[in-house]
Amino acid sequence: MVRKSKPENYSYTVFSLKFALMTEFQTYLTDKKIDADKFEKDEPKIYAEYETQFMQLHPNSFTAQKLFMINKIRRFYTLEEKTEIETATKKLAAKPKMMVRPKPKPKTS
């Protein structure tokens, strides 16, 4: 059996895959309303551990396994709301109006 060597751009591919997963983990934390930068800076060991586990699991599985811990982390590293500006400029959706039929006139004979 002849073993093929790794392609020339193998390390670049591995690096780009790891980078994509890291940004995916940061996006995941943002979706969970956790400030990823503060969390990484204050608790690098836990952040690195969660990041490696996140890379190995589906996001839903990761959430199911770490749900209570994610809630504790969210309380300490709450992401500041940036949607206030968006909410102020967002137009309200048109609401349907109820059409009221006029009452039928009573028949007089």
Side-chain angles (χ1 to χ4, degrees), residues 82-104:
K82 296 180 182 178
T83 57
E84 293 174 13
I85 298 169
E86 294 174 11
T87 308
T89 59
K90 190 175 180 182
K91 293 183 180 178
L92 296 175
K95 293 182 180 178
K97 294 183 179 180
M98 295 289 294
M99 295 294 292
V100 180
R101 292 186 179 178
K103 292 183 179 178

Side-chain angles (χ1 to χ4, degrees), residues 8-79:
E8 293 176 18
N9 61 353
Y10 176 76
S11 62
Y12 175 75
T13 306
V14 170
F15 172 76
S16 61
L17 179 62
K18 285 183 179 178
F19 181 74
L21 289 172
M22 284 184 345
T23 56
E24 191 174 313
F25 181 62
Q26 289 179 343
T27 305
Y28 171 82
L29 291 176
T30 304
D31 289 345
K32 298 294 179 186
K33 297 181 180 156
I34 298 172
D35 190 349
D37 296 330
K38 283 184 187 176
F39 179 43
E40 184 177 16
K41 187 176 86 173
D42 292 350
E43 300 187 38
K45 288 182 181 179
I46 296 174
Y47 183 88
E49 179 185 337
Y50 284 8
E51 186 175 33
T52 55
Q53 290 176 0
F54 184 82
M55 286 189 229
Q56 297 170 358
L57 298 171
H58 188 275
N60 293 344
S61 298
F62 181 81
T63 303
Q65 289 182 11
K66 303 288 182 189
L67 184 64
F68 296 110
M69 314 242 203
I70 288 171
N71 287 334
K72 288 180 183 178
I73 291 169
R74 183 184 300 128
R75 289 187 195 112
F76 287 114
Y77 305 106
T78 304
L79 184 65

